[in-house]
Amino acid sequence: MVRHVGRSEVRSTGRPSGPRAQRAPGHARAAQQRRGPAAALRMALSGRSVAGQVFVLQVVIVLLLVVAAVVALVLQVRHDSTIEARNRSVAVAEAFANAPGTREALDDPDPTEVLQPRAEAAREATGVDFIVVMNTDGTRYTHPFPDRIGKKFVGTLGPALAGRVVTEEITGTIGPLVQAVVPIKADDGSVVGLVSAGITTENVGGAANDQLPVLLAAAAAGLALATAGTALVSRRLLRQTHGLGPNEMTRMYEHHDAVLHAVREGVMIVGDEGRLLLANDEAHRLLDLPEDALGRQVQDLGLAPDTADLLASGRMATDEVHLVGDRLLAVNQRPTDLQGAPAGSVATLRDSTELRALSGRAETARERLNMLYDAGVEIGTSLDVARTAEELAALVVPRFADFATVDLFEAVLDGGQPDVSADVRRTAVSGIRKDAPLYPLGQQIRLVASAPQARAVRSGQAVLEPRLREATGWRAQDQERSAQVVEYGIHSLIAVPLRAGSLVLGVVTFWRSEKPEPFDTDELALAEELVTRAAVSIDNARRYTREHNMAVTLQRSLLPRNLPEQDALEIAYRYLPAQEGVGGDWFDVLPLSGARVALVVGDVVGHGLHAAATMGRLRTAVHNFSALDLPPDELLSLLDELVGRIDQDETAEGGSAPVTGATCLYAIYDPVSRNCTVARAGHPPPALIHPDGSVEFPDVPAGPPLGLGGLPFETVDLELAEGSRLVLYTDGLVEDRERDIDVGLELLRAALEQAGESPEDTCRVVLDSRLTVRSSDDIALIVARTRALDADRVAEWQVPSDPAAVADVRASVTRQLARWELDELTFTTELILSELVTNAIRYGGDPIHVRMLRDRTLICEVFDSSSTSPHLRYAAMTDEGGRGLFLVAQLAERWGTRYTPAGKVIWAEQPLP
């Protein structure tokens, strides 16, 4: 076996020789594996191996330590018990000597009778073996054994008679003991008696004797645990030494040392403080280490900074390439303390200069893949053409190019079809510096045919200009600027057309100045891939812009451009479109008969062309229905039916979404009565600002949104003081994804309370408040301040149901027109009212009421209780009647009929002269 190798098998160099020496470590491990773990452990613990010798030595040391600890612990316990016995004896004796009645009992004729019961009770309570009271001669008055009373006390009394406390270990009448003697002093300090308390030696050592088995058991357990721990340590040492003895380990070390210096790979071991502990011959050669490198700091060996930092850091590295001189070294480094070994690191160095090109190409490919991935994530985050172009330019600088410019055709920016013969506009610029002499952002550029950008647009293929200083065609674009570009240091470019299918949207140019190498064909392919991905996003943004512009145009054409003239309300309004998309919010002001005005505001949920088109249909319907002079609840019912039919038609077609979610609020204000009738269909309630500035939200029943059907709408009549402001709005003002409508209403209330008196001030304050900071929906806002028609501009007459009363009406009208200085309208007004009153008397019912209003026009109204409506017809030449309404229609500017709960009103308007 290996352990029998003699000195003759070792050369003078101290290294093993011969086949047996080379096979020794392997044979030892193989033999250990064949014997099995138990046999290997028995052999290791036999003392013939390093692990066995360490185990025996550690077991002996532990055993000696355990025995010494047990002996010291027993002695300490006994010593502590004796000290405790002394202290307890003194305490008990002093307590009894100073107890009330003890001194007085000494003067009693029979002290024993008094003191014996007390002493025994105290002895049992304190756990001592005796309490003896005696006189100054040492004669006992008390004792646990009554037959000993009256006899002399065994012990030293002199110090106690002198007034001191005495403790001692003696052999008394009850055996070896620890006792204390305490004097009993009179009031003048003289000693009149003595008290002794003590514990026998048997009881003193009893606690220690009781603890001795526990101590021995603990010692045995400690010895067992220490032996087990030592065995585990020895077992680990056995694994590390493979069961080898000292000679075998020496031989194995020499073998490993020979291998270490023979391999053609550098090996270095660095300590945890950055000190070089080992370096083989190959490491010396590769790193050109000095002869005295061992033991020195790695940072002081003259290595390249990156290589020295890596070796000194001890961090893990895998095939990390470092340039050392003219060599390219692949360095692998691992910490040595991962499995309990000493702190430090081991590094291997491999001369892999041929790996340099491959590594560079792999890194470049990885960077290009990352850039393409980032292009898919970072380009096209919004549907804005300019921002998408800016994202492309920002992505490639400085990762791919030093400067990047994006030029788009003007039509693309507006969402239209590009014209390759038109000028381009610089839409995005990005660079490592801001002072490059390139066309600035926003510059309109006409591409010259010989320029790379024009060639790229014309051919649809990318163009590479590797050396701008030598190229001539691109200078024709701008001779002066081209010279400045070259002088600035830009020496190479790639121009790539932005193609989306068959459309060329513009051109992207990549410029290089810092890197001395020009763009190559591989980079040209990467540029084409990047631009291709960006072109899809830009084309999507262009299409969205086109649709958005169309929707905005449609919406603006459907909204009122100017408010109609009327005197009942002073009105101001605002309309804010959504930040993205076009919504279906609308509003309107509709003059009605009798100087009344209708206010309407509505909202079609959704965005885009569909919402805008639906909004236009609803607004038109409201215009038509309002011409019928319907009450708000009836108008909303008709609008609800219309939306239901629209939903059915579009559902049947299958190409459009239903209009579910359309809301509307309709209000009619009468300046004569100052009454405002309001109804709403799922719309936010109106706000009312009183003349004193207070704000309230009138309780108007909400009603279902339009299109649901089946439920009636309710109206509320509000009497508004002159100067009140009625505020109508859409939900975009008070509600969004992050704010509940109740919070929005409170914010609106706060803004309205701070608003000025005019509707314009009110609109401005509301839009300047926090309500519109983050709105993602359309906002329609209309503020109407009420006016009242003065009483002197209203004339009313009750008319009896008698044809003769028509003459009285004409006379009253003539007088009223004279007061209003409208004599020019006397004839036509008399004729109109004569016909209308005659029809009411003939075909209507009582009561009949005539009212004349002087507003922007002269309004004549005839009320009766009949619900039948007259209609205009052409009378034949032989007819005696039927021409009354025809004459009214010819003389009046407008005329019509409206219904009231009590009947109907026929009205006619004439322009004022």
Side-chain angles (χ1 to χ4, degrees):
M1 294 183 65
V2 176
R3 64 177 178 273
H4 298 303
V5 175
R7 294 180 181 274
S8 60
E9 295 175 311
V10 181
R11 296 179 181 177
S12 59
T13 59
R15 297 186 178 182
S17 62
R20 293 183 63 192
Q22 296 174 0
R23 293 194 302 269
H27 285 184
R29 286 191 294 271
Q32 178 180 339
Q33 293 174 356
R34 289 194 299 271
R35 287 192 295 268
L41 182 59
R42 285 196 300 272
M43 185 199 75
L45 301 182
S46 64
R48 289 174 294 186
S49 66
V50 173
Q53 294 174 8
V54 171
F55 175 75
V56 173
L57 178 61
Q58 289 185 344
V59 168
V60 171
I61 293 174
V62 170
L63 181 61
L64 292 177
L65 292 176
V66 170
V67 171
V70 170
V71 172
L73 188 58
V74 169
L75 294 178
Q76 181 66 35
V77 169
R78 290 186 174 178
H79 174 72
D80 292 343
S81 298
T82 302
I83 296 300
E84 175 63 22
R86 290 175 179 269
N87 294 337
R88 191 189 302 178
S89 299
V90 171
V92 172
E94 287 183 339
F96 194 84
N98 296 320
T102 300
R103 186 183 61 77
E104 290 78 1
L106 295 177
D107 298 333
D108 193 87
D110 188 1
T112 300
E113 182 179 0
V114 177
L115 296 174
Q116 179 66 10
R118 297 181 182 177
E120 287 303 300
R123 180 182 66 81
E124 293 177 358
T126 57
V128 298
D129 288 319
F130 66 86
I131 296 177
V132 175
V133 183
M134 66 197 84
N135 59 16
T136 55
D137 294 334
T139 302
R140 302 187 183 101
Y141 291 144
T142 64
H143 198 279
F145 301 110
D147 60 340
R148 309 255 176 105
I149 298 173
K151 296 181 179 180
K152 289 291 185 178
F153 176 77
V154 179
T156 303
L157 301 179
L161 293 174
R164 298 193 301 272
V165 177
V166 180
T167 59
E168 57 185 339
E169 298 181 26
I170 64 170
T171 302
T173 57
I174 59 175
L177 53 86
V178 177
Q179 67 181 14
V181 181
V182 176
I184 302 174
K185 297 181 180 180
D187 293 339
D188 58 358
S190 61
V191 178
V192 297
L194 302 172
V195 177
S196 176
I199 302 176
T200 61
T201 305
E202 180 181 357
N203 289 337
V204 171
N209 294 333
D210 293 340
Q211 295 175 359
L212 186 59
V214 178
L215 294 176
L216 293 177
L223 180 60
L225 291 176
T227 303
T230 303
L232 292 176
V233 173
S234 298
R235 183 177 180 181
R236 181 167 183 176
L237 183 60
L238 176 66
R239 289 198 305 268
Q240 293 179 343
T241 60
H242 305 290
L244 301 177
N247 293 333
E248 293 170 332
M249 290 184 63
T250 301
R251 189 172 297 109
M252 182 177 66
Y253 169 77
E254 293 173 346
H255 176 75
H256 289 172
D257 185 64
V259 173
L260 179 67
H261 290 282
V263 296
R264 299 298 297 172
E265 188 173 76
V267 179
M268 301 177 66
I269 298 178
V270 181
D272 59 345
E273 296 180 353
R275 194 176 301 278
L276 181 61
L277 304 180
L278 181 144
N280 66 351
D281 296 340
E282 185 68 6
H284 275 270
R285 185 184 70 84
L286 294 176
L287 297 177
D288 195 19
L289 297 177
E291 293 294 332
D292 59 346
L294 295 183
R296 294 174 57 182
Q297 292 289 333
V298 175
Q299 301 283 6
D300 300 335
L301 298 179
L303 303 176
D306 57 340
T307 306
D309 292 341
L310 171 63
L311 297 175
S313 66
R315 63 177 174 85
M316 186 177 294
T318 300
D319 287 335
E320 192 168 309
V321 179
H322 287 259
L323 182 62
V324 179
D326 57 350
R327 297 186 180 94
L328 197 65
L329 302 184
V331 182
N332 289 274
Q333 183 167 272
R334 294 293 184 274
T336 58
D337 56 354
L338 296 180
Q339 297 182 354
S345 61
V346 57
T348 61
L349 302 93
R350 186 171 64 256
D351 188 359
S352 54
T353 305
E354 70 279 359
L355 191 64
R356 182 177 184 180
L358 179 60
S359 176
R361 289 195 296 271
E363 180 65 22
T364 301
R366 183 183 65 83
E367 174 61 24
R368 291 179 178 179
L369 288 176
N370 289 340
M371 193 182 306
L372 291 175
Y373 171 79
D374 293 341
V377 174
E378 299 177 12
I379 299 177
T381 59
S382 69
L383 291 174
D384 183 83
V385 174
R387 181 172 179 181
T388 305
E390 292 169 357
E391 290 170 347
L392 170 61
L395 174 70
V396 298
V397 176
R399 299 169 63 177
F400 177 70
D402 298 320
F403 300 92
T405 58
V406 181
D407 304 321
L408 300 177
F409 291 106
E410 290 280 359
V412 174
L413 297 173
D414 297 330
Q417 294 281 351
D419 180 7
V420 296
S421 63
D423 294 348
V424 295
R425 184 173 296 277
R426 180 132 299 174
T427 310
V429 178
S430 181
I432 58 176
R433 292 184 297 274
K434 301 296 184 182
D435 58 344
L438 303 173
Y439 284 119
L441 185 66
Q443 175 78 37
Q444 187 173 359
I445 306 170
R446 174 167 293 278
L447 299 178
V448 177
S450 61
Q453 293 83 354
R455 300 196 329 253
V457 169
R458 187 170 56 252
S459 64
Q461 302 295 326
V463 175
L464 169 63
E465 285 287 357
R467 296 173 179 82
L468 292 179
R469 188 176 295 275
E470 301 174 5
T472 57
W474 77 285
R475 294 178 181 271
Q477 179 68 46
D478 189 330
Q479 293 286 348
E480 182 179 356
R481 189 177 296 273
S482 301
Q484 293 174 354
V485 168
V486 174
E487 184 67 23
Y488 186 78
I490 297 177
H491 58 81
S492 182
L493 71 79
I494 296 176
V496 184
L498 270 163
R499 295 184 57 187
S502 59
L503 298 179
V504 178
L505 309 177
V507 62
V508 181
T509 309
F510 304 98
W511 312 79
R512 173 169 289 175
S513 64
E514 296 295 315
K515 189 177 180 181
E517 296 82 6
F519 286 116
D520 55 25
T521 54
D522 290 339
E523 290 169 322
L524 179 67
L526 176 60
E528 289 180 313
E529 182 67 23
L530 287 171
V531 174
T532 299
R533 298 193 178 198
V536 175
S537 299
I538 292 178
D539 187 53
N540 290 337
R542 178 189 67 86
R543 295 172 183 270
Y544 171 80
T545 301
R546 179 182 60 188
E547 181 179 346
H548 178 76
N549 291 341
M550 292 172 59
V552 169
T553 302
L554 174 62
Q555 185 186 41
R556 294 189 182 280
S557 67
L558 296 175
L559 289 174
R561 299 182 181 180
N562 296 301
L563 296 182
E565 295 180 353
Q566 46 80 33
D567 291 336
L569 297 171
E570 179 186 353
I571 295 176
Y573 66 91
R574 296 290 189 276
Y575 186 86
L576 297 181
Q579 296 177 356
E580 293 185 1
V582 175
D585 295 9
W586 92 93
F587 65 93
D588 231 326
V589 178
L590 306 172
L592 302 178
S593 63
R596 297 171 305 141
V597 177
L599 300 175
V600 59
V601 62
D603 181 11
V604 176
V605 176
H607 296 85
L609 286 172
H610 179 265
T614 303
M615 177 268 287
R617 298 169 72 178
L618 295 182
R619 179 170 178 259
T620 302
V622 171
H623 269 265
N624 294 332
F625 293 150
S626 66
L628 301 176
D629 256 335
L630 298 175
D633 54 340
E634 294 183 20
L635 186 142
L636 290 181
S637 297
L638 294 177
L639 203 61
D640 179 65
E641 294 179 7
L642 173 64
V643 173
R645 289 196 300 271
I646 293 175
D647 284 348
Q648 293 176 1
D649 295 342
E650 293 186 347
T651 301
E653 292 176 2
S656 302
V659 190
T660 303
T663 64
C664 184
L665 185 147
Y666 191 81
I668 298 177
Y669 174 70
D670 187 349
V672 177
S673 63
R674 294 184 285 103
N675 181 73
C676 184
T677 304
V678 185
R680 62 188 179 113
H683 202 80
L688 179 60
I689 309 176
H690 294 285
D692 61 358
S694 60
V695 179
E696 70 166 318
F697 293 94
D699 186 12
V700 181
L706 299 175
L708 298 183
L711 294 175
F713 298 98
E714 299 181 52
T715 61
V716 170
D717 290 329
L718 306 174
E719 185 174 350
L720 306 182
E722 186 174 6
S724 301
R725 281 167 287 167
L726 191 64
V727 182
L728 309 181
Y729 52 90
T730 55
D731 59 355
L733 182 66
V734 295
E735 186 177 12
D736 61 22
R737 298 171 184 170
E738 302 179 3
R739 182 178 61 206
D740 188 72
I741 188 171
D742 293 335
V743 177
L745 290 175
E746 289 304 316
L747 292 175
L748 177 59
R749 180 195 300 272
L752 294 177
E753 289 175 347
Q754 300 174 2
E757 296 184 358
S758 70
E760 282 292 338
D761 288 341
T762 305
C763 290
R764 178 182 52 79
V765 170
V766 170
L767 295 187
D768 289 345
S769 66
R770 292 187 299 160
L771 288 165
T772 59
V773 171
R774 55 186 179 185
S775 177
S776 59
D777 197 5
D778 291 8
I779 295 176
L781 173 66
I782 182 169
V783 180
R785 184 165 66 178
T786 61
R787 297 169 178 165
L789 195 62
D790 297 336
D792 60 355
R793 301 174 66 181
V794 180
E796 298 181 271
W797 302 279
Q798 292 292 336
V799 180
S801 183
D802 182 1
V806 176
D808 296 335
V809 171
R810 285 199 299 267
S812 299
V813 167
T814 301
R815 289 192 296 269
Q816 185 63 47
L817 292 178
R819 283 193 292 269
W820 284 344
E821 298 180 355
L822 296 176
D823 299 292
E824 297 180 18
L825 300 178
T826 300
F827 175 75
T828 56
T829 305
E830 286 182 353
L831 184 56
I832 290 173
L833 284 178
S834 296
E835 293 296 333
L836 295 180
V837 171
T838 300
N839 282 339
I841 293 173
R842 181 176 299 177
Y843 305 108
D846 289 333
I848 300 174
H849 180 73
V850 175
R851 187 174 71 171
M852 195 164 56
L853 307 175
R854 180 185 178 184
D855 191 36
R856 302 181 68 88
T857 60
L858 181 64
I859 304 171
C860 300
E861 298 177 332
V862 178
F863 299 77
D864 67 71
S865 60
S866 173
S867 60
T868 59
S869 174
H871 59 279
L872 182 67
R873 68 183 181 89
Y874 291 95
M877 295 295 293
T878 58
D879 291 342
E880 295 183 358
R883 298 177 179 86
L885 286 181
F886 179 77
L887 292 175
V888 171
Q890 295 298 317
L891 297 175
E893 185 179 49
R894 293 194 312 152
W895 75 279
T897 304
R898 71 173 183 269
Y899 293 93
T900 67
K904 69 175 182 298
V905 179
I906 302 178
W907 55 270
E909 294 183 3
Q910 302 176 76
L912 297 179

